[in-house]
Amino acid sequence: MSFLEKLNERYATKAMNGKKVPQEKIDNILEAIRLAPTSSGLQPFEVLVITNDEVKAKIKEVAFNQPQITDCSHLLVFAAWDNYTEERINYIFDLTNKIRGFKNEGLEAHRQFLLAVYLKQDAETNFQHAAKQTYIAFMAGIAQAVYEEVDSTPMEGFDPNALDKILNLKEKGLRSTLLLPLGYRDSEKDWLVNLQKVRKSMKDLVTVID
Ligand SMILES: Cc1cc2nc3c(=O)[nH]c(=O)nc-3n(C[C@H](O)[C@H](O)[C@H](O)COP(=O)(O)O)c2cc1C
């Protein structure tokens, strides 16, 4: 099936049935997230995989009681770096040099550029930049989930400060940005499952400048 057919098949699942997703499928979804592009390749976020029922129940309370949070199999939490630091920036450049086995002048200049720019900016500006990167990886995970025949619900509907407290994210220098429950639809309870997809027309979305 083509990517477009898969995108048409996907929908934001509103009710899940609690069935477990095999670990191999979860691993593939996480791998798609890991492979997503990020600005300067910094991957300025982490992903928490939650299967613990008590933790899920606590998270549901700060997420408008959305039922998918407890009825999913695995709950992914995307958490962006709360700031860029010298250590965090150097980590990825050093890793690049180690993996490729050589130092590149251009890359080293880019490292110095990023250190100069990001270390000067305030933490909130840097967090917002890091947070944007999580959305790209989020979509990679959502798309891979369709290939794994796993349903998902993209979610911003939660109180990030409350969630950060539940998961002790502040101590890790992280701030939550997105939730992605993964599981299987409960077609009987899901009001969205049979409704037609609604999207703006190409004309309203795209402007061509020749
Ligand atoms: C960033 C983001 C946040 C969203 N937050 C929620 C949410 O908290 N709860 C929910 O049920 N759906 C949520 N959605 C799903 C959207 O409402 C849904 O994707 C949109 O209405 C289009 O429908 P479709 O995904 O079924 O095609 C979110 C989607 C995105 C991309």
Side-chain angles (χ1 to χ4, degrees):
M1 211 185 251
S2 75
F3 188 57
L4 281 183
E5 283 170 318
K6 288 286 177 195
L7 288 182
N8 267 301
E9 200 179 89
R10 188 211 61 79
Y11 78 109
T13 306
K14 301 296 176 186
M16 292 186 175
N17 63 14
K19 210 179 132 202
K20 283 285 154 213
V21 175
Q23 189 58 42
E24 193 193 331
K25 288 176 182 283
I26 298 295
D27 291 345
N28 288 342
I29 293 165
L30 292 170
E31 181 65 354
I33 290 167
R34 194 174 76 95
L35 288 172
T38 53
S39 180
S40 295
L42 290 178
Q43 294 182 280
F45 57 84
E46 294 184 23
V47 179
L48 290 89
V49 182
I50 300 179
T51 55
N52 182 287
D53 287 336
E54 279 169 34
V55 178
K56 280 187 191 169
K58 275 192 203 159
I59 295 175
K60 186 181 176 182
E61 282 175 24
V62 301
F64 303 100
N65 281 314
Q66 298 193 70
Q68 306 95 312
I69 293 177
T70 43
D71 295 338
C72 71
S73 166
H74 294 65
L75 176 67
L76 305 191
V77 179
F78 289 73
W81 291 351
D82 60 356
N83 199 356
Y84 287 121
T85 64
E86 195 172 356
E87 193 189 359
R88 282 170 159 173
I89 292 170
N90 279 332
Y91 165 76
I92 198 74
F93 282 90
D94 293 344
L95 182 68
T96 305
N97 290 340
K98 193 173 151 211
I99 288 177
R100 294 189 177 151
F102 66 93
K103 264 195 180 184
N104 172 289
E105 213 179 288
L107 195 74
E108 288 308 316
H110 193 59
R111 179 204 300 252
Q112 294 312 322
F113 170 75
L114 290 189
L115 287 169
V117 172
Y118 289 155
L119 299 187
K120 241 186 2 223
Q121 290 180 165
D122 61 81
E124 182 60 28
T125 304
N126 283 339
F127 163 70
Q128 291 300 339
H129 184 265
K132 285 181 196 166
Q133 315 309 313
T134 64
Y135 285 75
I136 302 163
F138 186 60
M139 186 56 214
I142 291 169
Q144 185 61 33
V146 198
Y147 280 91
E148 302 297 333
E149 298 182 328
V150 170
D151 289 315
S152 67
T153 320
M155 276 189 186
E156 251 178 350
F158 62 96
D159 175 347
N161 291 324
L163 179 56
D164 293 357
K165 282 198 188 114
I166 293 170
L167 298 174
N168 297 318
L169 294 183
K170 199 173 176 190
E171 288 77 351
K172 295 179 185 158
L174 298 170
R175 291 170 63 181
S176 58
T177 57
L178 292 158
L179 295 177
L180 189 65
L182 297 167
Y184 296 103
R185 68 190 70 175
D186 182 337
S187 298
E188 308 253 293
K189 290 195 193 143
D190 193 332
W191 59 266
L192 189 57
V193 68
N194 292 319
L195 295 187
Q196 211 180 327
K197 201 170 266 307
V198 178
R199 289 295 188 270
K200 316 203 272 197
S201 68
M202 260 323 168
K203 184 173 121 322
D204 289 340
L205 182 71
V206 178
T207 301
V208 180
I209 303 175
D210 284 325

